[in-house]
Amino acid sequence: MNDTLASVRHQAAAQMSRRHYSLATLRSIVAAWDERKRFRWELEQMSKDNPHLIDDIGLTRRQVEAEIAKPFWRR
């Protein structure tokens, strides 16, 4: 039983160490997320206010809707 518990603890510690990011990396990730949120919000506003501009930038309505529906952490 103790060997199993020790193994689980070791695996959990290994996973946590792989997820250790520097502060600069975390800031970069958050900045990318903010940029995606802003872009998707602006795209949504453009599709509502000036739908003809969507055609001008070469996107279909379906592509715009798919992009807007993505969560901020997805590319």
Side-chain angles (χ1 to χ4, degrees):
M1 182 78 165
N2 287 339
D3 290 337
T4 302
L5 185 56
S7 176
V8 169
R9 286 182 181 155
H10 176 71
Q11 289 174 354
Q15 286 178 344
M16 290 181 74
S17 69
R18 284 194 297 259
R19 293 184 182 162
H20 181 77
Y21 297 108
S22 71
L23 186 56
T25 301
L26 291 174
R27 285 181 177 155
S28 177
I29 291 169
V30 170
W33 287 350
D34 283 343
E35 185 177 336
R36 288 181 200 145
K37 286 186 339 187
R38 185 174 42 256
F39 170 76
R40 291 176 182 149
W41 181 84
E42 289 174 355
L43 186 61
E44 182 177 22
Q45 296 308 307
M46 182 189 307
S47 71
K48 290 177 183 177
D49 299 339
N50 299 304
H52 63 281
L53 293 178
I54 299 300
D55 291 334
D56 290 347
I57 61 174
L59 295 176
T60 65
R61 180 71 186 160
R62 188 171 299 208
Q63 288 172 319
V64 170
E65 290 170 356
E67 185 65 30
I68 291 169
K70 288 181 187 177
F72 65 88
W73 61 87
R74 290 228 175 109
R75 288 185 178 183

Coordinates of all heavy atoms in Angstrom, one line a residue:
M1 N 0.8 -1.2 0.0 CA 0.0 0.0 0.0 C 0.9 1.3 0.0 O 0.6 2.2 -0.7 CB -0.9 0.0 1.2 CG -1.9 1.1 1.3 SD -3.2 0.9 0.1 CE -4.3 2.1 0.7
N2 N 1.9 1.3 0.8 CA 2.8 2.4 0.9 C 3.5 2.7 -0.4 O 3.8 3.8 -0.8 CB 3.8 2.3 2.0 CG 3.1 2.5 3.4 OD1 2.0 3.1 3.4 ND2 3.7 2.0 4.4
D3 N 3.9 1.6 -1.1 CA 4.6 1.7 -2.4 C 3.6 2.4 -3.4 O 4.1 3.2 -4.3 CB 5.1 0.4 -2.9 CG 6.2 -0.2 -2.1 OD1 6.9 0.6 -1.5 OD2 6.4 -1.4 -2.1
T4 N 2.4 2.0 -3.4 CA 1.4 2.5 -4.3 C 1.2 4.0 -4.1 O 1.2 4.8 -5.0 CB 0.1 1.8 -4.2 OG1 0.3 0.4 -4.5 CG2 -0.9 2.4 -5.2
L5 N 1.1 4.4 -2.8 CA 0.9 5.8 -2.4 C 2.1 6.6 -2.8 O 2.0 7.7 -3.4 CB 0.6 5.9 -0.9 CG 0.3 7.3 -0.4 CD1 -0.9 7.9 -1.2 CD2 0.0 7.3 1.1
A6 N 3.3 6.0 -2.6 CA 4.6 6.7 -3.0 C 4.6 6.9 -4.5 O 5.1 8.0 -4.9 CB 5.8 6.0 -2.4
S7 N 4.2 5.9 -5.2 CA 4.2 6.0 -6.7 C 3.3 7.1 -7.2 O 3.6 7.9 -8.1 CB 3.8 4.6 -7.3 OG 3.8 4.7 -8.7
V8 N 2.1 7.2 -6.6 CA 1.1 8.2 -7.0 C 1.7 9.6 -6.6 O 1.6 10.5 -7.5 CB -0.2 7.9 -6.2 CG1 -1.2 9.1 -6.4 CG2 -0.9 6.7 -6.8
R9 N 2.3 9.7 -5.5 CA 2.8 11.0 -5.1 C 4.0 11.4 -6.1 O 4.1 12.6 -6.5 CB 3.4 11.0 -3.7 CG 2.3 11.0 -2.6 CD 2.9 11.0 -1.3 NE 1.8 11.1 -0.3 CZ 2.0 10.6 1.0 NH1 3.1 10.1 1.4 NH2 1.0 10.7 1.8
H10 N 4.8 10.4 -6.4 CA 5.9 10.7 -7.4 C 5.3 11.1 -8.7 O 5.8 12.1 -9.3 CB 6.8 9.4 -7.5 CG 7.8 9.6 -8.5 ND1 8.9 10.4 -8.3 CD2 8.0 9.1 -9.8 CE1 9.7 10.4 -9.4 NE2 9.2 9.6 -10.3
Q11 N 4.3 10.5 -9.2 CA 3.7 10.8 -10.5 C 3.1 12.2 -10.4 O 3.2 13.0 -11.4 CB 2.6 9.8 -10.9 CG 3.2 8.5 -11.3 CD 2.1 7.4 -11.6 OE1 1.0 7.7 -11.3 NE2 2.5 6.3 -12.0
A12 N 2.4 12.5 -9.3 CA 1.8 13.9 -9.2 C 2.9 14.9 -9.2 O 2.8 16.0 -9.8 CB 1.0 13.9 -7.9
A13 N 4.0 14.7 -8.4 CA 5.1 15.6 -8.4 C 5.7 15.8 -9.7 O 6.1 16.9 -10.1 CB 6.1 15.2 -7.4
A14 N 5.9 14.7 -10.5 CA 6.5 14.8 -11.8 C 5.6 15.7 -12.7 O 6.1 16.5 -13.5 CB 6.7 13.4 -12.4
Q15 N 4.3 15.5 -12.6 CA 3.4 16.3 -13.5 C 3.4 17.8 -13.1 O 3.4 18.6 -14.0 CB 1.9 15.8 -13.3 CG 1.7 14.5 -14.0 CD 0.2 14.0 -13.8 OE1 -0.5 14.4 -12.9 NE2 -0.2 13.0 -14.6
M16 N 3.5 18.0 -11.8 CA 3.5 19.4 -11.4 C 4.8 20.1 -11.9 O 4.8 21.3 -12.3 CB 3.4 19.5 -9.9 CG 2.0 19.2 -9.4 SD 1.8 19.4 -7.6 CE 1.8 21.1 -7.5
S17 N 5.9 19.4 -11.8 CA 7.2 19.9 -12.2 C 7.2 20.2 -13.7 O 7.9 21.2 -14.2 CB 8.4 19.1 -11.9 OG 8.4 17.9 -12.6
R18 N 6.5 19.4 -14.5 CA 6.4 19.7 -16.0 C 5.6 20.9 -16.2 O 5.7 21.6 -17.3 CB 5.8 18.5 -16.7 CG 6.8 17.3 -16.8 CD 6.2 16.4 -17.8 NE 5.0 15.8 -17.4 CZ 4.8 14.6 -16.8 NH1 5.9 13.8 -16.6 NH2 3.6 14.1 -16.5
R19 N 4.7 21.3 -15.3 CA 3.9 22.5 -15.5 C 4.4 23.7 -14.9 O 3.7 24.7 -14.8 CB 2.5 22.2 -15.0 CG 1.8 21.1 -15.7 CD 0.4 20.9 -15.2 NE -0.2 19.8 -16.0 CZ -1.3 19.1 -15.6 NH1 -1.8 19.5 -14.4 NH2 -1.8 18.2 -16.3
H20 N 5.6 23.7 -14.5 CA 6.3 24.9 -13.9 C 6.7 25.8 -15.0 O 7.6 25.5 -15.8 CB 7.4 24.4 -13.0 CG 8.1 25.6 -12.4 ND1 7.6 26.1 -11.2 CD2 9.3 26.2 -12.6 CE1 8.4 27.1 -10.9 NE2 9.4 27.2 -11.7
Y21 N 6.1 27.0 -15.0 CA 6.4 28.0 -16.1 C 7.1 29.2 -15.4 O 6.8 29.5 -14.3 CB 5.2 28.4 -16.8 CG 4.5 27.4 -17.5 CD1 3.2 26.9 -17.1 CD2 5.0 26.9 -18.7 CE1 2.6 25.9 -17.8 CE2 4.3 25.9 -19.5 CZ 3.1 25.4 -19.0 OH 2.5 24.4 -19.7
S22 N 7.9 29.9 -16.1 CA 8.5 31.1 -15.6 C 7.4 32.2 -15.7 O 6.4 32.1 -16.4 CB 9.7 31.5 -16.5 OG 9.3 31.9 -17.7
L23 N 7.7 33.2 -14.9 CA 6.7 34.3 -14.9 C 6.6 35.0 -16.3 O 5.5 35.4 -16.7 CB 7.2 35.4 -13.9 CG 6.3 36.6 -13.6 CD1 4.9 36.1 -13.2 CD2 6.8 37.5 -12.6
A24 N 7.7 35.1 -17.0 CA 7.7 35.7 -18.3 C 6.8 34.8 -19.3 O 6.1 35.3 -20.1 CB 9.1 35.8 -18.9
T25 N 6.9 33.5 -19.1 CA 6.1 32.6 -20.0 C 4.7 32.8 -19.7 O 3.8 32.8 -20.6 CB 6.6 31.1 -19.8 OG1 7.9 31.0 -20.1 CG2 5.7 30.2 -20.6
L26 N 4.3 32.8 -18.4 CA 2.9 33.0 -18.0 C 2.4 34.3 -18.5 O 1.2 34.4 -19.0 CB 2.8 32.9 -16.5 CG 3.0 31.5 -15.9 CD1 3.0 31.6 -14.4 CD2 2.0 30.6 -16.4
R27 N 3.2 35.4 -18.4 CA 2.7 36.7 -18.9 C 2.5 36.6 -20.4 O 1.5 37.2 -20.9 CB 3.8 37.8 -18.6 CG 3.8 38.2 -17.2 CD 4.8 39.3 -16.9 NE 4.7 39.7 -15.5 CZ 5.6 40.2 -14.8 NH1 6.8 40.4 -15.4 NH2 5.5 40.6 -13.5
S28 N 3.3 35.9 -21.1 CA 3.2 35.8 -22.6 C 1.9 35.0 -22.9 O 1.2 35.4 -23.8 CB 4.4 35.0 -23.1 OG 4.3 34.8 -24.5
I29 N 1.6 34.0 -22.1 CA 0.4 33.2 -22.4 C -0.8 34.1 -22.1 O -1.8 34.1 -22.9 CB 0.4 31.9 -21.4 CG1 1.5 30.9 -21.9 CG2 -1.0 31.3 -21.4 CD1 1.7 29.8 -20.9
V30 N -0.8 34.8 -21.0 CA -2.0 35.7 -20.7 C -2.1 36.8 -21.8 O -3.2 37.1 -22.2 CB -1.8 36.3 -19.3 CG1 -2.8 37.4 -19.0 CG2 -1.9 35.2 -18.2
A31 N -1.0 37.3 -22.3 CA -1.1 38.3 -23.3 C -1.7 37.7 -24.6 O -2.5 38.4 -25.2 CB 0.3 38.9 -23.6
A32 N -1.4 36.5 -24.9 CA -1.9 35.9 -26.1 C -3.4 35.6 -25.9 O -4.2 35.9 -26.8 CB -1.2 34.5 -26.4
W33 N -3.8 35.2 -24.7 CA -5.2 35.0 -24.4 C -6.0 36.3 -24.6 O -7.1 36.4 -25.1 CB -5.4 34.4 -23.1 CG -5.0 33.0 -22.9 CD1 -4.7 32.1 -23.9 CD2 -4.9 32.2 -21.7 NE1 -4.4 30.9 -23.4 CE2 -4.5 30.9 -22.0 CE3 -5.1 32.6 -20.4 CZ2 -4.3 29.9 -21.1 CZ3 -4.9 31.6 -19.4 CH2 -4.6 30.3 -19.8
D34 N -5.4 37.4 -24.0 CA -6.1 38.7 -24.1 C -6.2 39.1 -25.5 O -7.3 39.7 -25.9 CB -5.3 39.7 -23.3 CG -5.5 39.6 -21.8 OD1 -6.5 39.0 -21.4 OD2 -4.7 40.2 -21.1
E35 N -5.2 38.9 -26.3 CA -5.3 39.3 -27.7 C -6.3 38.5 -28.5 O -7.1 39.1 -29.3 CB -3.9 39.0 -28.4 CG -3.8 39.5 -29.8 CD -2.4 39.3 -30.4 OE1 -1.4 39.3 -29.6 OE2 -2.3 39.2 -31.6
R36 N -6.4 37.2 -28.2 CA -7.5 36.4 -28.8 C -8.9 36.9 -28.4 O -9.8 36.9 -29.3 CB -7.3 34.9 -28.5 CG -6.1 34.3 -29.1 CD -6.1 32.8 -28.8 NE -4.7 32.4 -29.0 CZ -4.1 31.5 -28.3 NH1 -4.7 30.9 -27.2 NH2 -2.8 31.1 -28.6
K37 N -9.1 37.2 -27.1 CA -10.4 37.6 -26.7 C -10.7 38.9 -27.4 O -11.9 39.1 -27.8 CB -10.4 37.8 -25.2 CG -10.4 36.6 -24.4 CD -10.6 36.7 -22.9 CE -10.2 38.0 -22.3 NZ -10.2 38.1 -20.8
R38 N -9.8 39.8 -27.4 CA -10.0 41.1 -28.1 C -10.3 41.0 -29.6 O -11.3 41.6 -30.1 CB -8.8 42.1 -27.9 CG -9.0 43.5 -28.4 CD -7.9 44.4 -28.0 NE -6.6 43.9 -28.2 CZ -5.8 43.5 -27.1 NH1 -6.2 43.6 -25.9 NH2 -4.6 43.0 -27.4
F39 N -9.5 40.2 -30.3 CA -9.7 39.9 -31.7 C -11.1 39.3 -31.9 O -11.8 39.8 -32.8 CB -8.7 39.0 -32.2 CG -9.0 38.5 -33.6 CD1 -8.8 39.4 -34.7 CD2 -9.5 37.3 -33.9 CE1 -9.1 39.0 -36.0 CE2 -9.8 36.8 -35.1 CZ -9.5 37.7 -36.2
R40 N -11.5 38.4 -31.1 CA -12.8 37.7 -31.4 C -14.0 38.7 -31.0 O -15.0 38.7 -31.7 CB -12.9 36.4 -30.6 CG -12.0 35.4 -31.2 CD -11.9 34.1 -30.4 NE -10.9 33.2 -31.0 CZ -10.2 32.3 -30.4 NH1 -10.3 32.1 -29.1 NH2 -9.3 31.6 -31.1
W41 N -13.8 39.5 -30.0 CA -14.8 40.5 -29.7 C -14.9 41.5 -30.9 O -16.0 41.8 -31.3 CB -14.4 41.2 -28.4 CG -15.5 42.2 -28.0 CD1 -16.6 42.0 -27.3 CD2 -15.5 43.6 -28.3 NE1 -17.3 43.2 -27.2 CE2 -16.6 44.2 -27.8 CE3 -14.6 44.5 -29.0 CZ2 -16.9 45.5 -27.9 CZ3 -14.9 45.8 -29.1 CH2 -16.0 46.3 -28.5
E42 N -13.8 42.0 -31.4 CA -13.8 42.9 -32.5 C -14.4 42.3 -33.7 O -15.2 43.0 -34.5 CB -12.4 43.5 -32.8 CG -11.9 44.4 -31.7 CD -10.4 44.8 -31.9 OE1 -9.8 44.3 -32.8 OE2 -10.0 45.6 -31.1
L43 N -14.1 41.0 -34.0 CA -14.7 40.3 -35.1 C -16.2 40.2 -35.0 O -16.9 40.4 -36.0 CB -14.0 39.0 -35.3 CG -14.4 38.1 -36.5 CD1 -13.9 38.8 -37.8 CD2 -13.7 36.8 -36.4
E44 N -16.6 39.9 -33.8 CA -18.1 39.9 -33.5 C -18.7 41.2 -33.8 O -19.8 41.3 -34.4 CB -18.3 39.4 -32.1 CG -19.8 39.2 -31.8 CD -20.0 38.6 -30.4 OE1 -19.1 38.8 -29.6 OE2 -21.1 38.1 -30.2
Q45 N -18.1 42.3 -33.3 CA -18.7 43.6 -33.5 C -18.7 44.0 -35.0 O -19.7 44.5 -35.4 CB -17.9 44.7 -32.7 CG -17.9 44.5 -31.2 CD -19.3 44.4 -30.7 OE1 -20.2 45.3 -30.9 NE2 -19.6 43.3 -29.9
M46 N -17.7 43.6 -35.7 CA -17.6 43.9 -37.1 C -18.7 43.1 -37.8 O -19.4 43.7 -38.7 CB -16.3 43.5 -37.7 CG -16.1 43.8 -39.2 SD -14.7 43.1 -40.0 CE -13.4 43.7 -38.9
S47 N -18.9 41.9 -37.5 CA -20.0 41.1 -38.1 C -21.4 41.6 -37.9 O -22.3 41.5 -38.7 CB -19.9 39.6 -37.7 OG -20.3 39.5 -36.4
K48 N -21.6 42.3 -36.7 CA -22.9 42.9 -36.4 C -23.0 44.2 -37.0 O -24.1 44.5 -37.6 CB -23.0 43.0 -34.9 CG -23.2 41.7 -34.2 CD -23.3 41.9 -32.7 CE -23.4 40.7 -31.9 NZ -23.4 40.9 -30.5
D49 N -22.0 45.1 -36.9 CA -22.1 46.5 -37.3 C -21.9 46.7 -38.8 O -22.5 47.5 -39.5 CB -21.1 47.4 -36.5 CG -21.4 47.3 -35.1 OD1 -22.5 47.0 -34.6 OD2 -20.5 47.6 -34.3
N50 N -20.9 45.9 -39.4 CA -20.5 46.1 -40.8 C -20.3 44.7 -41.4 O -19.2 44.4 -41.8 CB -19.2 46.9 -40.9 CG -19.4 48.3 -40.3 OD1 -20.3 49.1 -40.7 ND2 -18.5 48.6 -39.4
P51 N -21.4 44.0 -41.6 CA -21.2 42.6 -42.1 C -20.5 42.6 -43.5 O -19.9 41.6 -43.8 CB -22.6 42.0 -42.2 CG -23.5 43.2 -42.0 CD -22.8 44.3 -41.4
H52 N -20.6 43.6 -44.3 CA -20.0 43.6 -45.6 C -18.5 43.6 -45.5 O -17.8 43.1 -46.4 CB -20.4 44.9 -46.4 CG -20.0 46.2 -45.8 ND1 -20.7 46.7 -44.7 CD2 -19.0 47.0 -46.0 CE1 -20.1 47.9 -44.4 NE2 -19.0 48.0 -45.1
L53 N -17.9 44.0 -44.3 CA -16.5 44.0 -44.2 C -16.0 42.6 -44.0 O -14.8 42.3 -44.3 CB -16.1 44.8 -43.0 CG -16.3 46.3 -43.1 CD1 -15.9 47.0 -41.8 CD2 -15.5 46.9 -44.3
I54 N -16.8 41.7 -43.5 CA -16.4 40.3 -43.4 C -16.1 39.7 -44.8 O -15.1 39.0 -45.0 CB -17.5 39.4 -42.7 CG1 -17.8 40.0 -41.3 CG2 -17.2 38.0 -42.7 CD1 -16.7 39.9 -40.4
D55 N -16.9 40.0 -45.8 CA -16.6 39.6 -47.2 C -15.3 40.2 -47.6 O -14.5 39.6 -48.3 CB -17.7 40.0 -48.1 CG -19.0 39.2 -47.9 OD1 -18.9 38.1 -47.3 OD2 -20.1 39.7 -48.2
D56 N -15.1 41.5 -47.3 CA -13.9 42.2 -47.7 C -12.6 41.6 -47.2 O -11.6 41.6 -47.9 CB -13.9 43.7 -47.3 CG -15.0 44.5 -48.1 OD1 -15.5 43.9 -49.1 OD2 -15.2 45.6 -47.7
I57 N -12.6 41.0 -46.0 CA -11.4 40.4 -45.5 C -11.3 38.9 -45.9 O -10.4 38.2 -45.5 CB -11.3 40.5 -44.0 CG1 -12.5 39.9 -43.2 CG2 -11.2 42.0 -43.6 CD1 -12.3 39.9 -41.7
G58 N -12.3 38.4 -46.7 CA -12.2 37.1 -47.2 C -12.7 36.0 -46.3 O -12.3 34.8 -46.4
L59 N -13.6 36.3 -45.4 CA -14.1 35.2 -44.5 C -15.6 35.0 -44.8 O -16.3 36.0 -45.3 CB -14.0 35.7 -43.1 CG -12.6 35.8 -42.5 CD1 -12.6 36.3 -41.1 CD2 -11.9 34.4 -42.6
T60 N -16.1 33.8 -44.5 CA -17.5 33.6 -44.7 C -18.2 33.8 -43.3 O -17.5 33.8 -42.3 CB -17.8 32.1 -45.1 OG1 -17.3 31.2 -44.1 CG2 -17.1 31.8 -46.4
R61 N -19.5 33.9 -43.3 CA -20.2 34.1 -42.0 C -20.0 32.9 -41.1 O -19.8 33.0 -39.9 CB -21.7 34.3 -42.3 CG -22.5 34.5 -41.1 CD -22.3 35.8 -40.5 NE -23.0 35.9 -39.3 CZ -22.8 36.7 -38.3 NH1 -21.8 37.6 -38.5 NH2 -23.4 36.8 -37.2
R62 N -19.9 31.7 -41.7 CA -19.7 30.5 -40.9 C -18.3 30.5 -40.3 O -18.2 30.1 -39.1 CB -19.9 29.3 -41.8 CG -19.8 27.9 -41.1 CD -20.2 26.8 -42.0 NE -21.6 27.1 -42.5 CZ -22.4 26.1 -42.8 NH1 -22.0 24.9 -42.7 NH2 -23.6 26.4 -43.2
Q63 N -17.3 30.9 -41.0 CA -16.0 31.0 -40.4 C -15.9 32.0 -39.3 O -15.3 31.8 -38.3 CB -15.0 31.5 -41.5 CG -14.6 30.4 -42.5 CD -13.8 30.9 -43.7 OE1 -14.0 32.0 -44.2 NE2 -12.8 30.1 -44.1
V64 N -16.6 33.1 -39.4 CA -16.7 34.1 -38.4 C -17.3 33.6 -37.1 O -16.8 33.7 -36.0 CB -17.4 35.4 -38.9 CG1 -17.6 36.4 -37.7 CG2 -16.5 36.1 -39.9
E65 N -18.5 32.9 -37.3 CA -19.2 32.3 -36.2 C -18.3 31.3 -35.5 O -18.3 31.2 -34.3 CB -20.5 31.7 -36.7 CG -21.5 32.8 -37.1 CD -22.7 32.2 -37.8 OE1 -22.8 31.0 -38.0 OE2 -23.6 33.0 -38.1
A66 N -17.6 30.4 -36.3 CA -16.7 29.4 -35.7 C -15.6 30.1 -34.9 O -15.3 29.6 -33.8 CB -16.2 28.5 -36.8
E67 N -15.0 31.1 -35.4 CA -14.0 31.8 -34.7 C -14.5 32.5 -33.4 O -13.9 32.4 -32.3 CB -13.3 32.9 -35.6 CG -12.1 33.6 -35.0 CD -10.9 32.7 -34.7 OE1 -10.8 31.7 -35.5 OE2 -10.2 32.9 -33.8
I68 N -15.6 33.1 -33.4 CA -16.2 33.8 -32.3 C -16.6 32.8 -31.2 O -16.4 33.1 -30.0 CB -17.4 34.6 -32.7 CG1 -17.0 35.8 -33.6 CG2 -18.2 35.1 -31.5 CD1 -18.2 36.5 -34.2
A69 N -17.0 31.6 -31.6 CA -17.4 30.5 -30.6 C -16.2 29.9 -29.9 O -16.5 29.3 -28.8 CB -18.2 29.5 -31.3
K70 N -15.0 30.1 -30.4 CA -13.9 29.4 -29.7 C -13.6 30.0 -28.3 O -13.7 31.2 -28.2 CB -12.6 29.6 -30.5 CG -12.6 28.8 -31.8 CD -11.2 29.1 -32.5 CE -11.1 28.5 -33.8 NZ -9.8 28.8 -34.5
P71 N -13.2 29.2 -27.4 CA -12.8 29.8 -26.1 C -11.5 30.5 -26.2 O -10.7 30.2 -27.2 CB -12.6 28.5 -25.2 CG -12.8 27.3 -26.0 CD -13.2 27.8 -27.4
F72 N -11.2 31.4 -25.3 CA -10.0 32.2 -25.5 C -8.7 31.5 -25.5 O -7.7 31.9 -26.0 CB -9.9 33.3 -24.4 CG -9.8 32.8 -23.0 CD1 -8.5 32.6 -22.5 CD2 -10.9 32.5 -22.2 CE1 -8.4 32.1 -21.2 CE2 -10.7 32.0 -20.9 CZ -9.5 31.8 -20.4
W73 N -8.6 30.3 -24.9 CA -7.4 29.5 -24.9 C -7.1 28.7 -26.1 O -6.0 28.2 -26.3 CB -7.3 28.6 -23.6 CG -8.4 27.6 -23.6 CD1 -8.4 26.4 -24.2 CD2 -9.7 27.7 -23.0 NE1 -9.6 25.7 -24.0 CE2 -10.4 26.5 -23.2 CE3 -10.3 28.7 -22.2 CZ2 -11.7 26.2 -22.7 CZ3 -11.6 28.4 -21.7 CH2 -12.2 27.2 -22.0
R74 N -8.1 28.7 -27.0 CA -7.9 27.9 -28.3 C -7.4 28.9 -29.4 O -7.9 30.0 -29.5 CB -9.2 27.3 -28.7 CG -9.6 26.2 -27.9 CD -9.9 24.9 -28.7 NE -10.2 23.8 -27.8 CZ -11.4 23.3 -27.6 NH1 -12.4 23.8 -28.2 NH2 -11.6 22.3 -26.8
R75 N -6.5 28.4 -30.2 CA -6.0 29.1 -31.4 C -7.0 29.1 -32.5 O -7.8 28.3 -32.7 CB -4.7 28.6 -31.9 CG -3.6 28.9 -30.9 CD -2.3 28.4 -31.5 NE -1.3 28.7 -30.6 CZ 0.0 28.5 -30.8 NH1 0.4 28.0 -31.9 NH2 0.9 28.9 -29.9

